[in-house]
Amino acid sequence: MGLETARARLVECLGQEISDKRVLAAMARVPRELFIPSDYYHSAYEDRPLSIGFGQTISQPFIVALMTQALELKGGERVLEIGAGSGYQAAILAELAKWVVSVERIPQLVESARQVLDKLGYTNVEIHVAEKTLGWVAGAPYDAIIVTAGAPRTPNLLLKQLTFGGRLVIPVGSRWEQELLKVTKKTRRNLIENLGGCRFVPLIGEGAWEE
Ligand code: SAH
């Protein structure tokens, strides 16, 4: 089976659980094989995470779709991603929002993610090497924030970088397993929804886990 066919089949499967047609269309457009080491080419459209080196992983496509859907992107948003990794999630976001800022603490990953995103012609994504402060304050506020690494709790620092009515999607729990939370920022009490269990590599740094 060719990669194009494999991608179409995967998206069809995702359609059984993901209802946002724009998210499915974005996943049908972005070539995941370009974001993974070439040894895994044949596995690019299996619904599982894959190693991208440096002890990090590109998320499972279903989780990418689920998290992206929860951001409720309509096209005009500014979005922040914590944990650019391979750059795949950033590409999906770039398909669906106006502007994407993504930060990553491993400089080699920043470099390779930038290269693929450039090659694919995205002009609405900036990838930065993460600073000590979680997030990217210079670009705040954001309408949506996605954290693709597991945190011990919802970081206040990120809620501060979010607009009122904005959505923060973040895995929260232990170092090994988490619950995927969607937090909608309100003027009084934030709305918190649990989207289910998940497993992410740890979010490292101040307010998160030690290296
Ligand atoms: N979204 C990525 C997968 C990311 S894996 C993709 O589509 O491929 C999680 C990433 O978060 C790792 O690359 C890790 O280095 C990064 N990370 C961990 N803590 C971070 C922090 N505090 N700031 C920025 N990036 C962080």
Side-chain angles (χ1 to χ4, degrees), residues 19-132:
S19 58
D20 188 329
K21 295 284 187 282
R22 291 183 75 238
V23 171
L24 294 170
M27 299 211 38
R29 281 193 298 268
V30 178
R32 188 169 183 254
E33 68 272 18
L34 300 188
F35 294 87
I36 59 177
S38 50
D39 335 4
Y40 298 134
Y41 252 49
H42 57 282
S43 301
Y45 296 105
E46 289 169 21
D47 194 15
R48 59 184 181 98
L50 296 167
S51 168
I52 52 170
F54 309 96
Q56 308 301 330
T57 53
I58 177 173
S59 306
Q60 176 190 351
F62 169 67
I63 293 289
V64 171
L66 184 68
M67 293 177 88
T68 308
Q69 173 170 267
L71 296 176
E72 298 175 28
L73 303 175
K74 303 281 182 276
E77 299 84 0
R78 288 179 58 78
V79 184
L80 171 67
E81 176 187 27
I82 314 294
S86 68
Y88 176 72
Q89 173 75 70
I92 298 290
L93 297 172
E95 292 276 346
L96 297 169
K98 186 167 178 203
W99 194 261
V100 180
V101 178
S102 182
V103 293
E104 168 56 53
R105 60 188 292 275
I106 300 172
Q108 292 94 324
L109 289 177
V110 170
E111 196 44 49
S112 50
R114 267 189 197 142
Q115 270 176 27
V116 191
L117 292 165
D118 277 354
K119 183 175 161 197
L120 289 172
Y122 291 103
T123 53
N124 60 337
V125 193
E126 32 175 301
I127 314 269
H128 302 282
V129 177
E131 292 178 327
K132 193 159 180 288

